[in-house]
Each structure stands twice: as C-alpha cells, then as structure tokens.
Amino acid sequence: MLRPSTQRYSVTRPLYSEDTFEDEHAKVYRKHKRLLDHFIQYFTCTSERAKNAAVSLLPIIGWMKIYSIKDWLLNDIVSGVSTGLVAVLQGLAFSLLASISTWYGLYAAFFPVIMYFFLGTSRHISVGSFPILSLMVGAVVTRLVPDEGPPANITAFEGLTKDEQRILVSASLTFLVGLFQLGMGLLQVGFIVMYLSDTLISGFTTAAAVHILVSQLKFVLGLTVPGFSGPLSIIYTLESVFTQITSTNIHDLVTSIVVMVMVLGVKEINDRFKSKLPVPIPIEVIMTVIACGVSYAFNFSENHGVDVVGKIPNTFESPIAPSLQLFQMTAVEAFPIAIVGFAVAFAVAKVYSVKHDYIIDGNQELIAFGASNIFGGAFKSLAASTALSRSAVQESTGGKTQIAGLLSAIIVLVVILGIGFLLEPLPKSLLGAVVIVNLKGMLMQVVTVPYLWKKDRPDCIVWVGTCLAAIFLGLDLGLAVDIYCFFKDIPEGVKIFRIPSPIFFANIDFFRDKLKDAVGFNPLRILRKRNKAVKKIKKMIKKGELTLTSVHFYQNNMEDLDKPTDYSDLPIQVNWDTELPANIRVPPVNIHSLILDFSVVSFLDISALKGLKAALKEFIRVSVDVYIVGCDPYIIEKLRNCKFFDDEIKTSIFFLTIHDAMLFIHESHPPKTVSEKVNVTVWSLYKLDLFIQRLICSIY
C-alpha cells in the first residue's frame, strides 16, 4: 500500500479539439424514432405495461407484496397509535390558524390519510394538517369572511352563518388546491420542486413561523383580536394585541407558559435520550389530558373566561359541493398553497426514502396529494400536507408502512365518533402553546444568517430579503430570486466561465449579462469604440492631420459600428493596448482568451442559440479567442444543423476538456516571462430559478 504522499498518476494523450477527436473516433449514430413510432409505443398495451401502470398508480400494491406481518405489523400498530394521538392534538391546534372551528382540523387527519394510503409512495410521512398551509388558508378565509364587517358578495354564502361561510371557503379552497396538484401530477411536473432553493425555502419558512407565532398570541394571552390579511397584516395584528395587552387573561397566560416550558423540556429529553427511549414521551398528549382535567374541575370557561374548544360533534358532517365562484376568487392563493404543500411533503418524504432505501415518485406524490385534498375538501377538511414533528413520531416509533398512517386515522376516527366530548374543556391557549413550541425548528433557522454572511453574502441577502418580504408583504408575496457568482484563481489573460444549467430563451439574456460581468467589460461597447476610433484615424489621414497615405472615408453609423473592425486602406497597425493618436481613448481588453465550460449544459434552444452566437461574435471581434469545452455531442450536432458555424465561429473552438483548451491557449499565447503571474478567475454561475424560485422549506 503506497503512502498517500507518494500516490501519483500520469496521463499521456494527444491534445484534442472536437474536430480532431471526431476524425480519429467515428461517432456511433443511434436510430431516431419518428413521432409515429413514439405514438405507437405510447398506446401499445401489453400485460407488463398494464401491470407497471397499476403499480405506479396504486403504490400500495408494490409494498403490500413484500409486507412482513411478523416483522412489521407490531411496529406499525405502535407507530399508528402514537401518531394518531399527536395528529388529534395538532389537528385541533392547526385549525386555529385557519380561523375555523377546531374539529375540522380532525377531518384533515382522517380523510386525506385514507386516500394517501392507496396512492402515496412514501411509507413514513404522516399526512394531515401543516401549520404554514393552515395559516395560508386562514388568510384567505379572513379575507372573504372577516371577523368584523360583511363577508364578500358570494351567492353561496346566502343563508349561512359566519362559521358555515368560513367552512365553505376553506373546503372550496382545499378542493381547488387538490385540483391544481392533481393536474400537475397528470402533466408530470413533479420536477418543479427542483426550482425551490434551500436559501429561499429557509427564509420563507422562517417568515411563516413568525406569522404563526404572532397569530397565536391572541390565544396565549386570551385576547379578542380580529383577523387581518394582506400586506402589513402582521403589523396590524401586533398593534391590536398590544393595545389590549392590559386585558390579558392570566389563566390563559399561565397555562400557556407552563405548557411551553414542560413541552420544550421534555422534547429536549426526547432528543437527548432518543437512542435509549423505546418511544418519545408524548408530552403534548400528557399536557392535554392534564389541562382538560384542570379546566373541567375548575370550570375555566365559566369562572375565568378562558376560551375552550367547546362542543365537538360526535359525527361526520355531510359532504358539500365546492363553490365555483369561490374558485375564481381564490385561484391566485390556491396555486402557491398547492406548491408549498407538495414541496414540504416531498422534502420530508425524500429524507425518509433515502434513510430506508426506497424510491418515491414526485409525480405520483402530486397525484396522491391532489386526490387527498379533493376528497378531503368535499368533506370540509383543511388542506393537507405533512408536518415534520408528526412524521418524525411515525418514523421514530417504528412505523414501516402507511398501515401506521391508516391506524392513526382510526385513532382520529375514535376521537371524532366516541371520545371527542372529553376534549371540549380543553383551553385554546394550550393549543396555541403547542403550535408555538412546534415552531422552534423553523425559528432557529435564523442562526444560519451569520454563517451565510461570512460564507456567501449574496445568498444571505436572498435569505434576508425573502424573510422580510414574506413577513411584511404576506406569505404569498414573499418570494425572491437567488443569483450569485463565485470567484477563484487561473493564467493571466484567460477567463473561464462555467454555466451549470441549460441555456434557453428565459435565461439567455441573463447569461450574456453575467458573462460581461465576469470578463469585466462589454465587448459590443468596445467594438463600437474601436470602430469609431478607426474611422476617426482614417478621417484624420484623409485630412492630412496624420502623415500617412490617403484612404477612403466611411460613414459613421451604428449598424457599421457593430460589424468587425475594418482595417482596409489603413496603412498602420493599431495596437489597442497602447496610447492612440489624437487623444483617442478606447477601453482596454485585459484578456486574450475566454473558455466557456459547457460540461453540464444539457439543453440549448433556438433563441439561446442566436443569443450565444451574437455573444461569441462580440468577443471574437475584439480579438478575444473563445473556446467551448465539455460540450455535449447532441448540442454540437444541433449547432451544425442550425447553421451556427460560419467564417468567424468555427468548429475548431470546441475542445474536450478545459485542460485541452488551456494547453492550446498556452501554445497560442506563450508566457512573456517565466515568472509571469498565474491568476485564473473561475466564474461559477448559479442556476437561475424560473418559477417562483423555490418557496418552501427547511420547515424543520
């Protein structure tokens, strides 16, 4: 075994451009299918394809075939009971965020779970209400049915009480969210979560946590605060809270403080000794039982004015049809809710799929959540996603499959139909305290800001900008763009520009702007100044102001200035790096070679092709040699087919690797001295997020 310091390797091969490599190694062409071939293949049905389609649409078939009753059933039962107890409490708590009656939160822990059991690909996430989604739904509910003043002019509201109007809004919105998710799943756009950056997600969810925290103050303090929505709603809410602060209900406040201290303390114990505890201590459930007992014994509601959960119907309400008029009035809010809910659930599901070594399908997850929310919306459920804390309980208590999820739904069913009355004296301040405690993970994301500031300030600005925008403008408006450049060292006179993303119509202008920033000058501007300088020199020669042979005079128009510099009839060689006559000034070009690293550029459309060709010619015309390395043969073939190459742009500019291009540049531009400084600048261009730039969440 060689010591690490003695391990070396050497590779000797010719210097390859794309042309020389192609000459020596014949390309193997594969047969391209016609549109008709694809059409026939798509609609050809075989038994194998039918089987795969069934397993894909109903993932339960796949894992049920390998289900081990002996090894997994007991784990699923323990996990299902534990998760069900947590789901009951969180369902009640998160319904407060949506500004609807508490028992409708229990519906979100039942109806969507049943549908996801059959259609979902994750075996470990716990489907149900999620605080950020509930808050976003609540914003729509209070906008259309405010606490004070008349509701929106909607025909379906006629003859309904305020609570019934709010339920109709929530159910219709949930139904529409499901339609959006189902539509995206059928259109196979599960890849959309790739456009949600971690920085954007972290900033957004921290802002959401702040909104949730503020919204729960009225329950913790026992105040009556009207619901606000829209930009600066958080300011109006805080103003209302602080103007009533002297009316705080001490019993609510003490209850909340005791619950938060106990829950935080026991959660810390659970985290510290999780390897020794068979199951996490269900402190929220324990505190709920105690609070219900104390509230009932001392009649908190009547004697001390404490707001309690109140009557919970011991039956399911009849399903309702969504309002088409509400669809029109909530579509703008429904789409981001659909994206947020899916992105959160997919992120959590992916963590557990990697840990337990199985595959999840983003498109099928969209279909599963779409169907779950459509089904849930019809039965007045809240919009469903997942919550990390609840999913963590399901996984950490030994859950193996969604049978645990199904059992948790059965626990919720028992509570709704059998023992829901026991929760009627539960103080809402306890629910508010439970919600606030579960925000710890999201609020602690703020500690990443100093790290980002030291390591990546543009990313830090994105985080802070997203967070502040979401806090003050609202969650549906608080999105931002994440763009940055990264510097490193390479040889003087050479720039390497790396593009780690496809180039197409939507980002070609961005690409050209960042390329100009990278090299430090605008080649088109310099080309125009050079052409003006040459014309001025020719004009001075013609007038005899320069003692040179006569030349022809050319008109100075902008169209000519964009063309290659015309040195014809100019009896001198212009050195643009030296001082020019007659105080003519042209910005210097401090590089002679530009390398474009296309190693991860997988796609180039026609619009981008035209923009790229124009950009290359601008550099070539100011005497900057351009080389493209690591380009996919498919793209080179496309460039040939689209007449990309001409007298200025030749196939010889393509090289296999950066090393090949650097060796060629070294031969073409040898160092002036042995001690010439090596200073390489590698520019790395981050992906441009085209959608809403990655919305959600390190919810954790």
Side-chain angles (χ1 to χ4, degrees), residues 112 115-116 119 178-179 181-182 366-376:
M115 189 63 68
Y116 189 86
L119 300 178
L179 288 178
Q181 290 175 330
L182 181 62
L366 273 171
I367 293 173
F369 276 102
S372 298
N373 280 316
I374 290 173
F375 184 54

Side-chain angles (χ1 to χ4, degrees), residues 106-125:
L106 297 178
Y107 292 0
F110 179 75
F111 291 108
V113 177
I114 302 299
M115 189 63 68
Y116 189 86
F117 174 76
F118 294 101
L119 300 178
T121 59
S122 174
R123 303 175 193 171
H124 293 89
I125 65 171

Side-chain angles (χ1 to χ4, degrees), residues 284-329:
E284 292 103 330
V285 177
I286 295 173
M287 294 306 297
T288 298
V289 173
I290 294 174
C292 281
V294 173
S295 176
Y296 179 78
F298 292 96
N299 198 2
F300 273 10
S301 178
E302 297 293 335
N303 297 337
H304 305 291
V306 173
D307 193 11
V308 297
V309 169
K311 183 166 181 60
I312 298 179
N314 60 352
T315 183
F316 287 110
E317 296 186 8
S318 301
I320 60 173
S323 168
L324 296 180
Q325 190 176 359
L326 280 171
F327 280 2
Q328 297 174 354
M329 300 183 71

Side-chain angles (χ1 to χ4, degrees), residues 163-450:
D163 287 341
E164 291 172 338
Q165 291 171 349
R166 289 190 165 188
I167 292 304
L168 180 59
V169 173
S170 173
S172 297
L173 180 60
T174 298
F175 197 97
L176 183 56
V177 166
L179 288 178
F180 277 131
Q181 290 175 330
L182 181 62
M184 289 189 290
L186 294 175
L187 293 174
Q188 303 285 291
V189 293
F191 65 87
I192 199 170
V193 293
M194 293 190 300
Y195 291 96
L196 305 176
S197 68
D198 292 341
T199 304
L200 190 83
I201 284 170
S202 179
F204 175 84
T205 49
T206 303
V210 173
H211 275 281
I212 295 170
L213 174 63
V214 171
S215 71
Q216 295 306 291
L217 290 179
K218 64 180 180 181
F219 299 110
V220 169
L221 300 176
L223 303 176
T224 302
V225 178
F228 298 97
S229 60
L232 301 181
S233 60
I234 193 170
I235 302 297
Y236 301 138
T237 302
L238 287 172
E239 180 187 19
S240 181
V241 168
F242 285 114
T243 54
Q244 304 178 55
I245 198 71
T246 55
S247 302
T248 298
N249 188 310
I250 299 301
H251 296 82
D252 276 321
L253 181 59
V254 171
T255 299
S256 300
I257 293 174
V258 171
V259 170
M260 284 190 282
V261 171
M262 290 297 297
V263 172
L264 282 173
V266 175
K267 278 182 175 288
E268 187 65 28
I269 294 174
N270 284 339
D271 288 339
R272 185 166 298 183
F273 300 102
K274 60 183 177 182
S275 60
K276 298 180 180 179
L277 293 172
V279 296
I281 301 172
I283 184 60
E284 292 103 330
V285 177
I286 295 173
M287 294 306 297
T288 298
V289 173
I290 294 174
C292 281
V294 173
S295 176
Y296 179 78
F298 292 96
N299 198 2
F300 273 10
S301 178
E302 297 293 335
N303 297 337
H304 305 291
V306 173
D307 193 11
V308 297
V309 169
K311 183 166 181 60
I312 298 179
N314 60 352
T315 183
F316 287 110
E317 296 186 8
S318 301
I320 60 173
S323 168
L324 296 180
Q325 190 176 359
L326 280 171
F327 280 2
Q328 297 174 354
M329 300 183 71
T330 61
V332 174
E333 292 95 342
F335 187 74
I337 291 175
I339 297 297
V340 170
F342 167 62
V344 170
F346 187 80
V348 177
K350 195 167 185 178
V351 170
Y352 292 124
S353 70
V354 171
K355 181 177 179 180
H356 295 279
D357 192 24
Y358 62 90
I359 298 173
I360 58 173
D361 183 344
N363 294 313
Q364 182 60 28
E365 286 294 289
L366 273 171
I367 293 173
F369 276 102
S372 298
N373 280 316
I374 290 173
F375 184 54
F379 284 90
K380 305 179 182 178
S381 164
L382 268 173
S385 179
T386 189
L388 180 64
S389 57
R390 195 169 61 247
S391 295
V393 170
Q394 180 164 319
E395 190 269 343
S396 62
T397 52
K400 300 297 183 182
T401 65
Q402 279 300 327
I403 286 180
L406 182 64
L407 291 173
S408 73
I410 293 175
I411 296 296
V412 175
L413 178 66
V414 171
V415 171
I416 294 174
L417 300 181
I419 61 175
F421 67 93
L422 296 176
L423 296 173
E424 291 178 2
L426 181 66
K428 288 186 178 179
S429 55
L430 179 139
L431 298 178
V434 169
V435 170
I436 291 174
V437 168
N438 280 281
L439 297 177
K440 178 186 174 184
M442 287 189 279
L443 291 172
M444 290 302 293
Q445 292 177 126
V446 74
V447 300
T448 63
V449 174

Side-chain angles (χ1 to χ4, degrees), residues 93-109:
F94 296 161
S95 62
L96 299 179
L97 297 172
S99 300
I100 59 176
S101 300
T102 51
W103 65 84
Y104 292 107
L106 297 178
Y107 292 0

Side-chain angles (χ1 to χ4, degrees), residues 688-700:
L688 175 63
D689 301 329
L690 296 176
F691 191 62
I692 47 180
Q693 297 287 7
R694 285 188 252 185
L695 211 257
I696 319 266
C697 232
S698 290
I699 46 177
Y700 323 132

